[in-house]
Amino acid sequence: MKKVGFGIIGCGGISNLFHIPELEEIDEADIVAVTDLNSERARITAERFGIKTWYTDYLEMLRRDDIDAVIVATPHPTHARITVDALEAGKHVLIQKPMCTDVKDADAILDAAKRNSHLKVMVLPFIYFDTPAFNYVKELIENGDLGRICIVRVRYAHGGPEGYQMKVAQMFNEETSCWFFDQEKAHGGVILDLGVYAVTQLIQLLGRVEEVSAFTATLSKPTALEDNAVMILKMRDGSLATVETSWTQTSSLEGTAIYGTEGTAYINFFEKNVMVRRCVDSNWRSPNLAVEKEPQHTHRYFVKCIMEDLEPIGTVEKGRHVIEVLEAAYESARTGKVIRLG
């Protein structure tokens, strides 16, 4: 059986808890090597999963002919440089969210992807919303079953990254630190960490964003970066959207609400995948939908795109638009102005 050889760049929590375990379950994938600037993390990760080779220099790993694809799972500001290097080395790339931290870096990735158009680049988190629930609601929207969409509200929030970082530190027997609170390492706060999910959802459901207004605040966490943010977006189709994102939420009630002239749909509210109420029947209904399309869908889909020459759902062009919206949100919060996108 032909296999896709993978190299993992970044041996933190997301690789150890998500990327590597999922790839291990896929027969068509083979993890060839891992790399991390921290040699202990690279060594421990390789030993934990029985991976033969580890590096501290990703450029050295990229020289291997038996690596077909890489996963970029490093702190946000490093994504662009690593992705460009990987593409120029002839590797397919899956980029951990956010794709990068600003439009300049997004353009660098886009240019490299165009120069190497035979390679697949998949940007997270678009594939996370390729689920039965989101596809069902997207079909309702496209078929006009909800009428004209007027307002969409999305909330992504949790109690902050500290607990996760503590778990990662324990995994490697390190002292706990939280790079998400460090401006140099993270670039931005909760908008880049969680707001990216909400904006990605909106773009996947409704298309492009036209105008952005935002407010940010640092209310609780020991950082100069924002731990709470609210965005108001005008979509190109004329609908309005609000995004709420927070690192200071104690409860887990959150989700996406779509309000149209002929109906309303809730995704991931009240422990239901989808709830829909339409004017024609006036009753709430909750279709019986699977939670996911298949086990390890994110990585199975990426492998399929490589092996069958398919365009990934999360294209670099769409990823650039997400970053354009997030950058505009920071500019709006800083200047107090509404930012119109090109």
Side-chain angles (χ1 to χ4, degrees):
M1 176 189 294
K2 181 181 177 182
K3 292 180 179 255
V4 177
F6 275 89
I8 309 298
I9 303 177
C11 294
I14 197 67
S15 288
N16 278 265
L17 298 172
F18 176 50
H19 293 301
I20 296 175
E22 285 212 352
L23 283 173
E24 283 200 316
E25 296 297 318
I26 301 172
D27 291 339
E28 299 84 358
D30 179 32
I31 303 174
V32 176
V34 299
T35 183
D36 196 284
L37 287 173
N38 183 320
S39 60
E40 277 298 284
R41 283 196 173 194
R43 179 187 65 79
I44 290 171
T45 299
E47 290 178 356
R48 174 179 291 126
F49 294 100
I51 300 166
K52 293 181 180 179
T53 310
W54 57 269
Y55 298 89
T56 56
D57 182 352
Y58 75 87
L59 292 173
E60 185 179 355
M61 189 184 75
L62 290 177
R63 297 189 189 106
R64 294 184 65 126
D65 293 333
D66 54 352
I67 290 179
D68 306 296
V70 299
I71 293 178
V72 178
T74 53
H76 312 151
T78 65
H79 289 182
R81 180 70 264 164
I82 294 172
T83 298
V84 170
D85 287 338
L87 288 169
E88 300 297 0
K91 314 302 182 186
H92 306 283
V93 186
L94 189 158
I95 312 174
Q96 179 59 41
K97 64 84 187 171
M99 184 174 87
C100 54
T101 55
D102 55 41
V103 171
K104 180 181 178 182
D105 278 352
D107 285 337
I109 294 173
L110 183 58
D111 289 345
K114 288 179 177 178
R115 287 195 301 273
N116 299 278
S117 58
H118 62 292
L119 298 172
K120 306 302 176 186
V121 185
M122 190 167 90
V123 177
L124 300 183
F126 281 93
I127 190 64
Y128 296 170
F129 307 115
D130 181 33
T131 66
F134 275 92
N135 291 340
Y136 178 84
V137 171
K138 186 173 178 61
E139 188 173 339
L140 290 178
I141 293 171
E142 291 176 347
N143 290 342
D145 294 329
L146 301 179
R148 176 166 185 173
I149 304 304
C150 299
I151 289 181
V152 177
R153 178 168 56 89
V154 188
R155 181 172 178 84
Y156 257 85
H158 58 46
E162 306 97 311
Y164 169 77
Q165 289 298 103
M166 183 180 296
K167 184 176 182 179
V168 173
Q170 291 170 348
M171 187 185 302
F172 296 105
N173 196 28
E174 299 172 349
E175 290 186 9
T176 301
S177 62
C178 192
W179 66 265
F180 288 88
F181 293 160
D182 185 319
Q183 185 164 7
E184 183 176 348
K185 292 181 178 179
H187 184 81
V190 71
I191 288 177
L192 283 180
D193 183 34
L194 299 183
V196 62
Y197 290 112
V199 172
T200 298
Q201 275 190 36
L202 287 168
I203 291 171
Q204 192 147 320
L205 288 172
L206 299 179
R208 294 182 67 85
V209 178
E210 194 171 79
E211 295 183 28
V212 180
S213 181
F215 295 90
T216 61
T218 306
L219 303 175
S220 175
K221 302 302 180 182
T223 178
L225 301 172
E226 80 284 353
D227 59 15
N228 282 268
V230 175
M231 305 178 213
I232 302 173
L233 310 178
K234 182 178 180 182
M235 309 302 291
R236 182 167 288 181
D237 67 0
S239 59
L240 303 178
T242 61
V243 169
E244 304 166 9
T245 189
S246 174
W247 275 340
T248 60
Q249 179 170 299
T250 56
S251 64
S252 59
L253 180 62
E254 55 200 39
T256 300
I258 300 99
Y259 302 98
T261 56
E262 299 297 326
T264 297
Y266 292 134
I267 308 175
N268 297 334
F269 273 102
F270 312 114
E271 299 183 354
K272 300 283 188 180
N273 282 351
V274 177
M275 294 177 65
V276 178
R277 183 174 181 177
R278 298 176 60 209
C279 294
V280 294
D281 52 33
S282 72
N283 293 315
W284 286 103
R285 54 189 174 89
S286 183
N288 186 18
L289 301 170
V291 175
E292 58 183 353
K293 286 187 171 181
E294 62 185 344
Q296 302 92 36
H297 179 52
T298 295
H299 299 86
R300 289 186 188 279
Y301 177 79
F302 184 50
V303 170
K304 184 178 181 180
C305 287
I306 293 170
M307 299 186 78
E308 299 183 15
D309 192 22
L310 303 175
E311 181 180 69
I313 289 173
T315 63
V316 176
E317 288 82 2
K318 284 190 175 181
R320 182 195 183 281
H321 186 49
V322 171
I323 297 304
E324 182 183 27
V325 173
L326 300 184
E327 185 176 79
Y330 281 116
E331 183 180 354
S332 174
R334 179 178 59 84
T335 64
K337 297 179 179 179
V338 175
I339 308 302
R340 185 173 179 85
L341 304 182

mmCIF file of all heavy atoms in Angstrom, residues 10 21 27 70 82 84 86 132 167 179 188 205 228 239 277 286 305 312 315 317:
data_model
loop_
_atom_site.group_PDB
_atom_site.id
_atom_site.type_symbol
_atom_site.label_atom_id
_atom_site.label_comp_id
_atom_site.label_asym_id
_atom_site.label_seq_id
_atom_site.Cartn_x
_atom_site.Cartn_y
_atom_site.Cartn_z
ATOM 1 N N GLY A 10 7.028 20.807 15.313
ATOM 2 C CA GLY A 10 6.458 21.288 16.569
ATOM 3 C C GLY A 10 5.928 20.127 17.384
ATOM 4 O O GLY A 10 4.966 19.473 16.974
ATOM 5 N N PRO A 21 -1.620 11.199 17.225
ATOM 6 C CA PRO A 21 -2.546 10.082 17.472
ATOM 7 C C PRO A 21 -3.504 9.814 16.315
ATOM 8 O O PRO A 21 -3.796 8.646 16.017
ATOM 9 C CB PRO A 21 -3.297 10.532 18.730
ATOM 10 C CG PRO A 21 -2.347 11.430 19.431
ATOM 11 C CD PRO A 21 -1.629 12.167 18.336
ATOM 12 N N ASP A 27 -3.982 4.046 7.887
ATOM 13 C CA ASP A 27 -3.088 3.086 7.227
ATOM 14 C C ASP A 27 -2.250 3.734 6.134
ATOM 15 O O ASP A 27 -1.111 3.324 5.891
ATOM 16 C CB ASP A 27 -3.901 1.938 6.621
ATOM 17 C CG ASP A 27 -4.528 1.042 7.683
ATOM 18 O OD1 ASP A 27 -4.036 1.050 8.832
ATOM 19 O OD2 ASP A 27 -5.513 0.349 7.355
ATOM 20 N N VAL A 70 4.107 17.752 5.616
ATOM 21 C CA VAL A 70 4.416 18.153 6.986
ATOM 22 C C VAL A 70 3.188 18.791 7.630
ATOM 23 O O VAL A 70 2.304 19.318 6.949
ATOM 24 C CB VAL A 70 5.604 19.140 7.054
ATOM 25 C CG1 VAL A 70 6.866 18.517 6.498
ATOM 26 C CG2 VAL A 70 5.275 20.449 6.340
ATOM 27 N N ILE A 82 7.845 28.747 8.168
ATOM 28 C CA ILE A 82 7.986 27.296 8.073
ATOM 29 C C ILE A 82 7.203 26.758 6.876
ATOM 30 O O ILE A 82 7.684 25.895 6.132
ATOM 31 C CB ILE A 82 7.528 26.625 9.379
ATOM 32 C CG1 ILE A 82 8.461 27.015 10.527
ATOM 33 C CG2 ILE A 82 7.490 25.107 9.225
ATOM 34 C CD1 ILE A 82 7.987 26.565 11.892
ATOM 35 N N VAL A 84 6.355 28.314 4.070
ATOM 36 C CA VAL A 84 7.041 28.674 2.822
ATOM 37 C C VAL A 84 8.246 27.763 2.595
ATOM 38 O O VAL A 84 8.462 27.254 1.484
ATOM 39 C CB VAL A 84 7.462 30.157 2.844
ATOM 40 C CG1 VAL A 84 8.382 30.475 1.663
ATOM 41 C CG2 VAL A 84 6.231 31.060 2.815
ATOM 42 N N ALA A 86 8.691 24.753 3.706
ATOM 43 C CA ALA A 86 8.220 23.403 3.401
ATOM 44 C C ALA A 86 7.751 23.295 1.958
ATOM 45 O O ALA A 86 8.036 22.306 1.264
ATOM 46 C CB ALA A 86 7.097 23.010 4.363
ATOM 47 N N PRO A 132 -21.569 16.672 9.660
ATOM 48 C CA PRO A 132 -22.981 16.541 9.281
ATOM 49 C C PRO A 132 -23.830 17.720 9.733
ATOM 50 O O PRO A 132 -24.716 18.170 9.000
ATOM 51 C CB PRO A 132 -23.396 15.238 9.968
ATOM 52 C CG PRO A 132 -22.137 14.430 9.991
ATOM 53 C CD PRO A 132 -21.043 15.432 10.269
ATOM 54 N N LYS A 167 -1.129 20.846 31.381
ATOM 55 C CA LYS A 167 -1.137 19.451 30.929
ATOM 56 C C LYS A 167 0.053 19.173 30.020
ATOM 57 O O LYS A 167 0.697 18.117 30.121
ATOM 58 C CB LYS A 167 -2.447 19.157 30.196
ATOM 59 C CG LYS A 167 -2.626 17.717 29.765
ATOM 60 C CD LYS A 167 -4.005 17.514 29.132
ATOM 61 C CE LYS A 167 -4.220 16.058 28.731
ATOM 62 N NZ LYS A 167 -5.569 15.849 28.131
ATOM 63 N N TRP A 179 2.728 30.236 26.798
ATOM 64 C CA TRP A 179 3.198 31.102 25.720
ATOM 65 C C TRP A 179 2.060 31.886 25.083
ATOM 66 O O TRP A 179 2.299 32.914 24.451
ATOM 67 C CB TRP A 179 3.958 30.302 24.672
ATOM 68 C CG TRP A 179 3.163 29.301 23.880
ATOM 69 C CD1 TRP A 179 3.041 27.977 24.138
ATOM 70 C CD2 TRP A 179 2.401 29.552 22.687
ATOM 71 N NE1 TRP A 179 2.236 27.374 23.195
ATOM 72 C CE2 TRP A 179 1.838 28.319 22.296
ATOM 73 C CE3 TRP A 179 2.136 30.684 21.926
ATOM 74 C CZ2 TRP A 179 1.017 28.196 21.171
ATOM 75 C CZ3 TRP A 179 1.322 30.560 20.807
ATOM 76 C CH2 TRP A 179 0.772 29.330 20.433
ATOM 77 N N GLY A 188 -1.056 37.668 19.230
ATOM 78 C CA GLY A 188 -2.370 38.133 19.660
ATOM 79 C C GLY A 188 -2.928 37.206 20.723
ATOM 80 O O GLY A 188 -2.372 36.137 20.992
ATOM 81 N N LEU A 205 -20.091 29.348 6.131
ATOM 82 C CA LEU A 205 -21.551 29.337 6.005
ATOM 83 C C LEU A 205 -22.074 30.427 5.068
ATOM 84 O O LEU A 205 -23.012 30.193 4.306
ATOM 85 C CB LEU A 205 -22.198 29.513 7.374
ATOM 86 C CG LEU A 205 -22.113 28.329 8.348
ATOM 87 C CD1 LEU A 205 -22.636 28.745 9.714
ATOM 88 C CD2 LEU A 205 -22.892 27.130 7.827
ATOM 89 N N ASN A 228 -10.737 38.986 26.086
ATOM 90 C CA ASN A 228 -12.134 39.020 25.650
ATOM 91 C C ASN A 228 -12.228 39.909 24.411
ATOM 92 O O ASN A 228 -11.505 40.903 24.301
ATOM 93 C CB ASN A 228 -13.051 39.584 26.736
ATOM 94 C CG ASN A 228 -13.355 38.584 27.818
ATOM 95 O OD1 ASN A 228 -14.338 37.854 27.756
ATOM 96 N ND2 ASN A 228 -12.493 38.521 28.843
ATOM 97 N N SER A 239 -25.897 40.338 5.190
ATOM 98 C CA SER A 239 -26.241 39.891 6.541
ATOM 99 C C SER A 239 -25.224 40.421 7.546
ATOM 100 O O SER A 239 -24.104 40.812 7.191
ATOM 101 C CB SER A 239 -26.301 38.366 6.600
ATOM 102 O OG SER A 239 -25.055 37.804 6.234
ATOM 103 N N ARG A 277 -36.094 25.734 13.582
ATOM 104 C CA ARG A 277 -37.510 26.097 13.620
ATOM 105 C C ARG A 277 -37.810 26.968 12.411
ATOM 106 O O ARG A 277 -37.182 27.998 12.206
ATOM 107 C CB ARG A 277 -37.862 26.852 14.900
ATOM 108 C CG ARG A 277 -39.350 27.181 14.997
ATOM 109 C CD ARG A 277 -39.696 27.798 16.328
ATOM 110 N NE ARG A 277 -41.119 28.077 16.429
ATOM 111 C CZ ARG A 277 -41.721 28.565 17.514
ATOM 112 N NH1 ARG A 277 -40.992 28.817 18.605
ATOM 113 N NH2 ARG A 277 -43.009 28.803 17.524
ATOM 114 N N SER A 286 -35.006 18.572 15.720
ATOM 115 C CA SER A 286 -33.582 18.286 15.833
ATOM 116 C C SER A 286 -33.276 17.018 15.048
ATOM 117 O O SER A 286 -33.548 15.906 15.520
ATOM 118 C CB SER A 286 -33.176 18.106 17.296
ATOM 119 O OG SER A 286 -31.782 17.907 17.415
ATOM 120 N N CYS A 305 -6.756 14.172 -0.012
ATOM 121 C CA CYS A 305 -6.468 15.269 -0.939
ATOM 122 C C CYS A 305 -5.132 15.051 -1.639
ATOM 123 O O CYS A 305 -4.994 15.309 -2.841
ATOM 124 C CB CYS A 305 -6.458 16.603 -0.195
ATOM 125 S SG CYS A 305 -8.094 17.198 0.291
ATOM 126 N N PRO A 312 -8.172 21.032 -1.083
ATOM 127 C CA PRO A 312 -8.669 20.972 0.293
ATOM 128 C C PRO A 312 -9.779 21.990 0.544
ATOM 129 O O PRO A 312 -9.849 23.039 -0.104
ATOM 130 C CB PRO A 312 -7.425 21.309 1.128
ATOM 131 C CG PRO A 312 -6.265 21.030 0.237
ATOM 132 C CD PRO A 312 -6.739 21.351 -1.150
ATOM 133 N N THR A 315 -8.624 26.197 1.834
ATOM 134 C CA THR A 315 -7.607 26.683 0.897
ATOM 135 C C THR A 315 -6.835 27.853 1.492
ATOM 136 O O THR A 315 -7.288 28.508 2.441
ATOM 137 C CB THR A 315 -8.258 27.145 -0.416
ATOM 138 O OG1 THR A 315 -9.120 28.261 -0.133
ATOM 139 C CG2 THR A 315 -9.070 26.025 -1.053
ATOM 140 N N GLU A 317 -6.372 30.667 0.030
ATOM 141 C CA GLU A 317 -7.131 31.888 -0.266
ATOM 142 C C GLU A 317 -8.157 32.163 0.832
ATOM 143 O O GLU A 317 -8.301 33.306 1.300
ATOM 144 C CB GLU A 317 -7.826 31.762 -1.618
ATOM 145 C CG GLU A 317 -6.891 31.827 -2.817
ATOM 146 C CD GLU A 317 -6.209 30.499 -3.122
ATOM 147 O OE1 GLU A 317 -6.488 29.492 -2.418
ATOM 148 O OE2 GLU A 317 -5.372 30.467 -4.051
#
